[in-house]
Each structure stands twice: as C-alpha cells, then as structure tokens.
Amino acid sequence: MLMKKLELHWKILIGMVLGLVFGFVMLQIDGGKGFTNDWIKPLGTIFVKLLKLIAIPLILASLIKGISDLKDISKFKTIGIRTIITYIFTTVIAISIGLMLVNVLQPGNGVSEETISKLTTTYSSNTTVQAKITEATKQVESGPLQFLEDMVPDNAFKALSENRLMLQVIFFSIFLGISMLLIGEKRATPLKNFFDSLNDVVLKMVDLIMLTAPYAVFALLASVVVSSDDPDILVALLQYAGVVVLGLMLMITFYSIIVGTVTKKNPFWFLKEISPAQLLAFSTSSSAATLPVTMERVEEHIGVDKEVSSFVLPVGATINMDGTSLYQAVAAVFIFQALGLDLTFADQLTIVLTALLASIGSAAVPGAGMVMLVIVLESVGLPPELLPIGLALIFAVDRPLDMCRTVVNVTGDAMVAMLVAKSVGKLGEPHVRNWDDHYEEVK
Ligand code: ASP
C-alpha cells in the first residue's frame, strides 16, 4: 500500500539501498556471490536489455515526429547549432573544473610506492585493462574525419539493428524527417501518423518498464557490490575518487545555477523531476540505456517540447559527456602525479582538447570513458609501456566512478535540452499523465 503512494524516485532509491545492503550481506555469506550472480543479477540485466530494446525505436519515432512537426527547417538548424555549441561549452567547463581540482588537491601525490606496486601487480595485466588499451589503439589509428564517415550509414536497416550505431540512426531519422517536411503535409501524413503512433506506444513501453525499476536497481546494485574489489584497495584510492566525485558535484551545482538563472525554473524541481533518470544512470552506468527514461522525464515532467528533446537528448547521450570528460581530466593528471611525472601548462591545455574529443568519442556504455582515457594519456606523452600501469592505478574504483559520472552525463543532457528549448520558446508546462509510475492506473 505504502509502495503505491510513494513517488517513483523514492521507490527506486529504496530499491538501490536494499540492493546495496543485500550485496554486502551476500559478500559475508559463503556462496553469496554465486547466488547473487546466478539468481539476482539476471533481473538487472533483463531490465537494461529492455531499456536498450526500445532505445532505437524511440529515437527513430520521436526524432521523425519532432522534425516533421516543425513548421520550417531553419528552426531545426537553430536548434542544432545551439545544441552543439552548448554541449561543447559545458564539456569545457567540466574539464576545467576537473583540472582545477586535481591540480589544487593533488590526489596523486598521496599515493604510496607500496600502493602503486600493489595496484600494478594486481591490475596491469588484467584482461579488461588490456582490452581497453587495444580498443583505444584502434580508435587512434583512424583518420580525423573518420567520425563523420562513421555517422553516415550505408544501410538503414543495419544501422537500426545495432545500438552502437545510434548516431547513424539519428542521421537517418533527421534525413527522413526533413524529407517528409519537404514533400508537403498532405503526402507525408500517412507516414507521420505511423511514427506518431509508434512514438506513443514506445513511450508507454518506457512507463511499463519503469514500473519494474525499483526491483531492477536492487538487482543491479547487489551485483555491483558482490563483484567489487578488495576494500583495502578502494580505500587507497579514496582521495582520487573523492576529487572526481567533488568535481561531479560541482557540475551538478553548475547545472542548477544555469537552470535557475537562464530558464528561471527552480533547480530543485528540475533535479527532482529528472531524478528517476539520474538514479537509473547510476544503477546502469549507461547513458544509452537511460535515454528512454531521460526522454520521457524531460518531455513529460519538465515540459520540453519534442521538437527539441527528440534531437538534443539522443545526440547528447552519444556525444555530450561532461562527467566522463571531467573524470578523464582528473584521472590523467592523477596518473601523472602518482607516477612522479611532470605535466606542463601546455600539456594541461592538450588535456582540455583531447578530453573534449575523447568524451565525444566515448560510447554511452559502462566503462567507455576509460578507453578514451588511454587516448588522453597518450596525447600528453605517457610512454606506451606505462599505459597498463596508469590504468591499473585507477581501475579498482572505475565502476563506482562510472556510475557517478553517468549521472552527470545524463543530467547535463537534460539541462541543455531545457536551455535550448527555452531559447527557442519551446519550454512549456509539464504534462505528466496520471497513469505514469503506478501499476493500478496502467491497466
Ligand atoms: N558510462 C558512461 C555513460 O554511459 C560513459 C563512461 O564514462 O564510461 O555515459
């Protein structure tokens, strides 16, 4: 009964806390880890799969609907340019905050030789660390315009069949939407009705999936806890993790100030309305998986018009990662500090540029930020033989930090959606449907 009355974000939060507690209890029990992995983790995995399942249909339907609702194409151009500029601006702020904190607080100088050698022996030959380096090397070998080439699909159905190809889906949807505008309303109507209807259906699917969110986050967090590392190692990296988390909190403060001053909305209201998306970002560590929920919250609970959100949010999920770029800046400097290597002012400027590009290039999936960190490290001259050692230093706390930075990535996208909507007069009133978030009314 009580569960029925609670707002969704409270239910999710309770699920998360219980998941954490359950995970810690299972760690103490013989066979608890195996039990959690066999019987609890699948529930979380299924939930994430369901969210990913609807991400592509949702982008397709909502972007086509958003564009074909536009009265003229020039508006789309304005939205596009403002979105990209704001994304770059917020990312540069994030990197600057990260660099400032890591230079002032110097977390790398407090790491003892003993910790460094312990981390190096434990993780430097770890297969995940090695895989990240190999993946990053592949990215480096590509040419400067590779990203543009990659954005254009040569087969629409192939693009639609791979979550990884989200930018291609965005490209195809925009192309289709604009062409629909160009053939005139009368001839475009049948297709438009189809996508409008698909859009409503997919949003309903988001609601249905979200009803299971409190249970799913329980499973997700319990499985994160049981697969976490030795607590001693986590404590040794507390200072570094603390700097990243402090930076991420400053970013949320920065967003709140912008929301308050530019859109004139209450920042606490903003944070409360998008909190289910933030909590999911934390639990899944994936902005892509969270995207359907972010879209639903921003449109229905914040009041951003679909013409804006349908473009800003999917693009943001793939290219705007303020939390990731902040983390990359802190981690890069931390690694140099811990290894006793110097970074000049010019190096720090290089970090700003490469972390900006690296966060754009990072996939919206768990752990992707660490792959692109390799590129940032290489750009400031970390010798290749030190790369595995560098990554080994931060690997143990990467998952919890990934969870935190994904929250900032998602919040940043939502804030920019609000900002761009406000600037083009498309920030309206929330239109929450009363069957949202409750089983009873879904029937
Ligand atoms: N997990 C992050 C995201 O999906 C990317 C990263 O920083 O690893 O937004």
Side-chain angles (χ1 to χ4, degrees), residues 2 25 80 197:
L2 181 67
V25 172
S197 164

Side-chain angles (χ1 to χ4, degrees), residues 427-442:
L427 182 59
E429 288 307 312
H431 42 96
V432 186
R433 282 174 270 191
N434 50 14
W435 42 257
D436 264 18
D437 313 344
H438 299 286
Y439 282 112
E440 287 68 18
E441 283 126 82
V442 164

Side-chain angles (χ1 to χ4, degrees), residues 285-288 321 324 327 362-370 402 405-406 409:
S285 286
S286 166
S287 343
M321 299 197 180
T324 301
Y327 143 85
S362 299
V365 295
M370 203 173 184
D402 192 5
R405 64 193 189 236
T406 309
N409 291 346

Side-chain angles (χ1 to χ4, degrees), residues 145-164:
L145 290 186
Q146 185 67 37
F147 78 100
L148 272 184
E149 241 182 73
D150 291 346
M151 214 183 278
V152 184
D154 57 2
N155 181 332
F157 294 98
K158 194 165 140 223
L160 292 172
S161 68
E162 281 265 8
N163 280 334
R164 203 169 47 76

Side-chain angles (χ1 to χ4, degrees), residues 132 281 284-290 316-318 320-325 327-328 359 362-372 398 401-403 405-410 413:
K132 288 190 192 289
T284 62
S285 286
S286 166
S287 343
T290 312
T318 30
N320 181 52
M321 299 197 180
D322 297 343
T324 301
S325 58
Y327 143 85
Q328 284 165 340
S359 71
S362 299
V365 295
M370 203 173 184
V371 174
M372 299 308 265
D398 197 60
L401 292 184
D402 192 5
M403 297 161 84
R405 64 193 189 236
T406 309
V407 173
V408 172
N409 291 346
V410 166
D413 297 343

Side-chain angles (χ1 to χ4, degrees), residues 269-385:
W269 167 82
F270 163 70
L271 291 174
K272 177 171 165 266
E273 294 305 320
I274 57 153
S275 57
Q278 291 176 314
L279 296 173
L280 279 200
F282 185 82
S283 310
T284 62
S285 286
S286 166
S287 343
T290 312
L291 180 65
V293 182
T294 318
M295 289 180 83
E296 194 240 16
R297 300 307 293 190
V298 168
E299 280 167 24
E300 293 179 7
H301 296 251
I302 304 247
V304 171
D305 201 290
K306 185 176 280 302
E307 289 167 23
V308 175
S309 61
S310 66
F311 172 75
V312 179
L313 294 174
V315 170
T318 30
I319 70 164
N320 181 52
M321 299 197 180
D322 297 343
T324 301
S325 58
L326 185 146
Y327 143 85
Q328 284 165 340
V330 175
V333 179
F334 167 79
I335 290 170
F336 271 75
Q337 287 170 353
L339 297 178
L341 303 169
D342 277 335
L343 277 176
T344 61
F345 185 66
D347 287 335
Q348 307 248 358
L349 286 183
T350 311
I351 292 182
V352 176
L353 196 69
T354 41
L356 172 67
L357 297 175
S359 71
I360 293 175
S362 299
V365 295
M370 203 173 184
V371 174
M372 299 308 265
L373 172 65
V374 174
I375 295 174
V376 178
L377 288 170
E378 282 176 336
S379 74
V380 281
L382 189 73
E385 66 278 9

